[in-house]
Amino acid sequence: MIRTVAETGSTNDDLAALAREGVAEGTWLRADRQTGGKGRQGRAWMSPPGNLYASTLVRLQPGDPPAATLALAAAIALHEVASFHAGGLSLKWPNDLLASGAKVAGILLEREGEAVVIGFGVNLAAHPDLPDRPSTSLAALAGTVPDPAGFLEMLAESFARWLMRWRQDGVAAIRRRWLEAAHPIGTALATSEGAGLFEGLDEAGALRLRLADGSIRTIHAGDVFLI
């Protein structure tokens, strides 16, 4: 079920409140505009009209893979749908969609008891001028502006399929598909734990970074930038 509101502070915050009230898994909330949108590590998420601001809810079940790996499934679904509108898109760990190194979208996971709220912010019509990284929009890439409501319908369907596969096939299948959509092995990265080359993901979905001395460092959290 998709609920739509004209304006709210944060779709993630609203859906977290609904989760506490017992709303069902698969509920989506979309806002035409957010006044208090947020990205990872509490960063403000700019919310110009015409972009997608939406969140959904997953209720964790016994036997589910680690909740953090839902980020991989969510990213695959987003990449799948966005690629209908523009080519040359790739995923960057942990949760960004890029085009030639410029950010197109981000995903934010937040735990709410035994549920996970997953927020999607997608630059459909416009993109902010960020001080620390380049950004772009699907409109700038393809010359047409995707309809937010239609985009979300496709995203909800895609995520439902990948969520089922996450549960049935486990992290390994999700990891393989994520790597197919990611920037190439050997891509130079800067992280909060140092710079190195992208060496894929470990079996739990953490980033593997090859350092200058040839050793591999496994990174479980933090910012990652293309160099």
Side-chain angles (χ1 to χ4, degrees), residues 31-50:
D32 292 329
R33 181 173 179 268
Q34 290 187 131
T35 57
K38 56 190 175 182
R40 294 185 65 250
Q41 300 188 3
R43 295 186 185 91
W45 184 273
M46 305 302 292
S47 302

Side-chain angles (χ1 to χ4, degrees), residues 196-220:
L197 302 179
F198 178 57
E199 193 66 22
L201 306 179
D202 73 3
E203 293 181 355
L207 175 68
R208 300 178 76 240
L209 188 71
R210 182 173 295 278
L211 304 180
D213 63 4
S215 64
I216 300 295
R217 178 171 294 172
T218 301
I219 297 175
H220 297 275

Side-chain angles (χ1 to χ4, degrees), residues 26-66:
T27 298
W28 286 81
L29 177 66
R30 180 178 73 85
D32 292 329
R33 181 173 179 268
Q34 290 187 131
T35 57
K38 56 190 175 182
R40 294 185 65 250
Q41 300 188 3
R43 295 186 185 91
W45 184 273
M46 305 302 292
S47 302
N51 290 344
L52 179 70
Y53 317 107
S55 302
T56 191
L57 178 74
V58 174
R59 291 201 174 275
L60 300 175
Q61 302 175 7
D64 277 349

Side-chain angles (χ1 to χ4, degrees), residues 9-97:
S10 161
T11 59
N12 261 32
D13 288 349
D14 290 353
L15 205 49
L18 291 172
R20 293 189 291 271
E21 295 173 5
V23 72
E25 177 176 291
T27 298
W28 286 81
L29 177 66
R30 180 178 73 85
D32 292 329
R33 181 173 179 268
Q34 290 187 131
T35 57
K38 56 190 175 182
R40 294 185 65 250
Q41 300 188 3
R43 295 186 185 91
W45 184 273
M46 305 302 292
S47 302
N51 290 344
L52 179 70
Y53 317 107
S55 302
T56 191
L57 178 74
V58 174
R59 291 201 174 275
L60 300 175
Q61 302 175 7
D64 277 349
T69 59
L70 278 168
L72 303 180
I76 293 167
L78 177 58
H79 180 272
E80 185 174 81
V81 175
S83 294
F84 280 107
H85 300 276
L89 301 176
S90 63
L91 297 175
K92 177 179 71 66
W93 191 92
N95 53 15
D96 285 346
L97 180 69

Side-chain angles (χ1 to χ4, degrees), residues 124-173:
L124 300 180
H127 57 278
D129 182 14
L130 300 175
D132 59 345
R133 69 192 77 182
S135 63
T136 188
S137 65
L138 293 181
L141 295 169
T144 58
V145 181
D147 172 60
F151 189 96
L152 180 54
E153 288 180 4
M154 294 178 65
L155 180 59
E157 189 276 332
S158 180
F159 180 67
R161 284 190 288 104
W162 284 106
L163 177 62
M164 182 180 299
R165 189 165 183 190
W166 176 79
R167 284 192 165 123
Q168 292 180 346
D169 299 340
V171 175

